[in-house]
Coordinates of all heavy atoms in Angstrom, one line a residue:
Chain X
G50 N -10.3 -3.8 -13.0 CA -9.7 -3.0 -14.0 C -9.8 -1.5 -13.7 O -10.4 -1.1 -12.7
M51 N -9.1 -0.7 -14.5 CA -9.1 0.8 -14.4 C -10.5 1.3 -14.3 O -11.3 0.9 -15.1 CB -8.3 1.4 -15.5 CG -7.9 2.8 -15.3 SD -6.5 2.9 -14.2 CE -5.2 2.7 -15.3
G52 N -10.8 2.1 -13.3 CA -12.1 2.8 -13.2 C -13.1 1.9 -12.4 O -14.2 2.4 -12.1
D53 N -12.8 0.7 -12.1 CA -13.8 -0.1 -11.4 C -13.9 0.4 -9.9 O -12.9 0.9 -9.4 CB -13.3 -1.6 -11.3 CG -13.5 -2.4 -12.5 OD1 -14.3 -1.9 -13.3 OD2 -13.0 -3.5 -12.7
R54 N -15.1 0.3 -9.4 CA -15.3 0.6 -8.0 C -15.2 -0.7 -7.2 O -15.8 -1.7 -7.6 CB -16.7 1.2 -7.8 CG -16.9 1.8 -6.4 CD -18.0 2.7 -6.3 NE -19.3 2.2 -6.8 CZ -20.4 2.8 -6.5 NH1 -20.4 3.9 -5.7 NH2 -21.6 2.4 -6.9
V55 N -14.3 -0.8 -6.2 CA -14.0 -2.0 -5.6 C -14.2 -2.0 -4.1 O -14.3 -1.0 -3.5 CB -12.5 -2.4 -5.9 CG1 -12.4 -2.7 -7.4 CG2 -11.6 -1.3 -5.5
L56 N -14.2 -3.2 -3.6 CA -14.3 -3.5 -2.2 C -12.9 -3.9 -1.7 O -12.3 -4.8 -2.3 CB -15.3 -4.7 -2.0 CG -16.0 -4.8 -0.7 CD1 -16.9 -3.6 -0.4 CD2 -16.9 -6.1 -0.8
V57 N -12.4 -3.2 -0.7 CA -11.0 -3.4 -0.3 C -10.9 -3.8 1.2 O -11.4 -3.1 2.0 CB -10.1 -2.1 -0.6 CG1 -8.6 -2.4 -0.4 CG2 -10.4 -1.6 -1.9
L58 N -10.1 -4.8 1.4 CA -9.8 -5.2 2.8 C -8.5 -4.5 3.1 O -7.5 -4.7 2.4 CB -9.6 -6.8 2.8 CG -9.5 -7.5 4.1 CD1 -10.7 -7.4 4.9 CD2 -9.1 -9.0 3.8
V59 N -8.5 -3.6 4.1 CA -7.3 -2.8 4.3 C -6.6 -3.2 5.6 O -5.9 -2.4 6.2 CB -7.6 -1.3 4.3 CG1 -7.9 -0.8 2.9 CG2 -8.7 -1.0 5.3
E60 N -6.9 -4.4 6.1 CA -6.3 -4.7 7.4 C -5.6 -6.1 7.3 O -6.2 -7.0 6.7 CB -7.4 -4.7 8.4 CG -6.9 -4.8 9.9 CD -6.7 -6.2 10.3 OE1 -7.5 -7.1 9.8 OE2 -5.8 -6.5 11.0
G61 N -4.4 -6.2 7.8 CA -3.5 -7.4 7.4 C -4.0 -8.7 7.8 O -3.8 -9.7 7.1
T62 N -4.7 -8.8 9.0 CA -5.0 -10.2 9.5 C -5.9 -10.9 8.5 O -5.6 -12.0 8.1 CB -5.7 -10.1 10.9 OG1 -4.9 -9.3 11.7 CG2 -5.7 -11.5 11.5
G63 N -6.9 -10.2 8.0 CA -7.8 -10.8 7.1 C -7.1 -11.2 5.8 O -7.3 -12.3 5.3
V64 N -6.1 -10.4 5.4 CA -5.3 -10.7 4.2 C -4.6 -12.0 4.4 O -4.6 -12.9 3.5 CB -4.4 -9.6 3.9 CG1 -3.4 -10.0 2.8 CG2 -5.1 -8.3 3.5
R65 N -4.0 -12.2 5.6 CA -3.2 -13.4 5.8 C -4.1 -14.6 5.8 O -3.8 -15.7 5.5 CB -2.4 -13.3 7.1 CG -1.1 -12.5 6.9 CD -0.1 -12.6 8.0 NE -0.6 -12.0 9.2 CZ -0.8 -10.7 9.5 NH1 -0.5 -9.9 8.6 NH2 -1.2 -10.3 10.7
Q66 N -5.4 -14.4 6.3 CA -6.3 -15.6 6.3 C -6.6 -16.0 4.9 O -6.8 -17.2 4.6 CB -7.6 -15.2 7.1 CG -7.3 -15.3 8.6 CD -8.3 -14.4 9.4 OE1 -9.3 -14.0 8.8 NE2 -8.1 -14.2 10.6
I67 N -6.7 -15.0 4.0 CA -7.0 -15.3 2.6 C -5.8 -15.9 1.8 O -5.8 -16.9 1.2 CB -7.6 -14.1 1.9 CG1 -8.9 -13.7 2.5 CG2 -7.7 -14.3 0.4 CD1 -9.4 -12.3 2.0
L68 N -4.7 -15.2 2.0 CA -3.5 -15.5 1.2 C -2.6 -16.6 1.9 O -1.6 -17.0 1.3 CB -2.7 -14.3 0.9 CG -3.4 -13.2 0.0 CD1 -2.4 -12.1 -0.3 CD2 -3.9 -13.8 -1.2
G69 N -2.9 -16.8 3.2 CA -2.1 -17.8 3.9 C -0.9 -17.1 4.5 O -0.7 -15.9 4.2
A70 N -0.2 -17.8 5.4 CA 0.9 -17.2 6.2 C 1.9 -16.5 5.3 O 2.5 -15.6 5.7 CB 1.5 -18.3 7.0
D71 N 2.1 -17.0 4.0 CA 3.2 -16.4 3.2 C 2.7 -15.1 2.6 O 3.5 -14.4 1.9 CB 3.6 -17.4 2.1 CG 2.4 -17.5 1.0 OD1 1.3 -17.0 1.4 OD2 2.6 -18.0 -0.1
A72 N 1.6 -14.6 3.1 CA 1.2 -13.2 2.6 C 2.2 -12.2 2.9 O 2.5 -11.3 2.2 CB -0.2 -12.8 3.1
G73 N 2.8 -12.4 4.1 CA 3.9 -11.5 4.5 C 3.4 -10.0 4.4 O 2.4 -9.7 4.9
P74 N 4.3 -9.2 3.8 CA 4.0 -7.8 3.8 C 3.0 -7.3 2.8 O 3.2 -6.5 2.0 CB 5.4 -7.2 3.5 CG 6.0 -8.2 2.6 CD 5.5 -9.5 3.1
I75 N 1.8 -7.9 2.9 CA 0.7 -7.3 2.1 C -0.4 -6.9 3.1 O -0.8 -7.7 3.9 CB 0.1 -8.4 1.1 CG1 1.2 -8.8 0.1 CG2 -1.2 -7.9 0.5 CD1 0.7 -9.8 -0.9
R76 N -0.9 -5.7 3.0 CA -1.8 -5.2 4.0 C -3.2 -4.9 3.4 O -4.2 -5.0 4.0 CB -1.3 -3.9 4.6 CG -2.2 -3.3 5.7 CD -1.5 -2.3 6.5 NE -2.4 -1.5 7.3 CZ -3.1 -2.0 8.3 NH1 -2.8 -3.2 8.7 NH2 -3.9 -1.3 9.0
S77 N -3.2 -4.6 2.1 CA -4.5 -4.2 1.5 C -4.8 -5.1 0.3 O -3.9 -5.3 -0.6 CB -4.5 -2.8 1.0 OG -4.2 -2.0 2.1
L78 N -6.0 -5.6 0.2 CA -6.4 -6.6 -0.8 C -7.7 -6.3 -1.4 O -8.7 -6.0 -0.7 CB -6.5 -8.0 -0.1 CG -6.4 -9.2 -1.0 CD1 -5.0 -9.4 -1.6 CD2 -6.7 -10.5 -0.1
I79 N -7.8 -6.2 -2.8 CA -9.1 -6.0 -3.4 C -9.9 -7.3 -3.4 O -9.4 -8.3 -4.0 CB -8.9 -5.5 -4.8 CG1 -8.1 -4.2 -4.8 CG2 -10.3 -5.3 -5.5 CD1 -7.7 -3.7 -6.2
V80 N -11.0 -7.4 -2.8 CA -11.7 -8.6 -2.6 C -13.1 -8.6 -3.3 O -13.8 -9.6 -3.3 CB -12.0 -8.9 -1.1 CG1 -10.6 -9.1 -0.4 CG2 -12.7 -7.8 -0.4
G81 N -13.4 -7.5 -4.0 CA -14.7 -7.6 -4.7 C -14.8 -6.4 -5.6 O -14.2 -5.3 -5.4

Side-chain angles (χ1 to χ4, degrees):
Chain X
M51 196 73 87
D53 280 348
R54 189 162 54 165
V55 292
L56 206 56
V57 190
L58 190 63
V59 288
E60 189 275 328
T62 312
V64 170
R65 280 193 295 286
Q66 282 158 12
I67 294 170
L68 298 184
D71 67 347
I75 294 178
R76 181 167 167 72
S77 302
L78 198 67
I79 299 172
V80 295

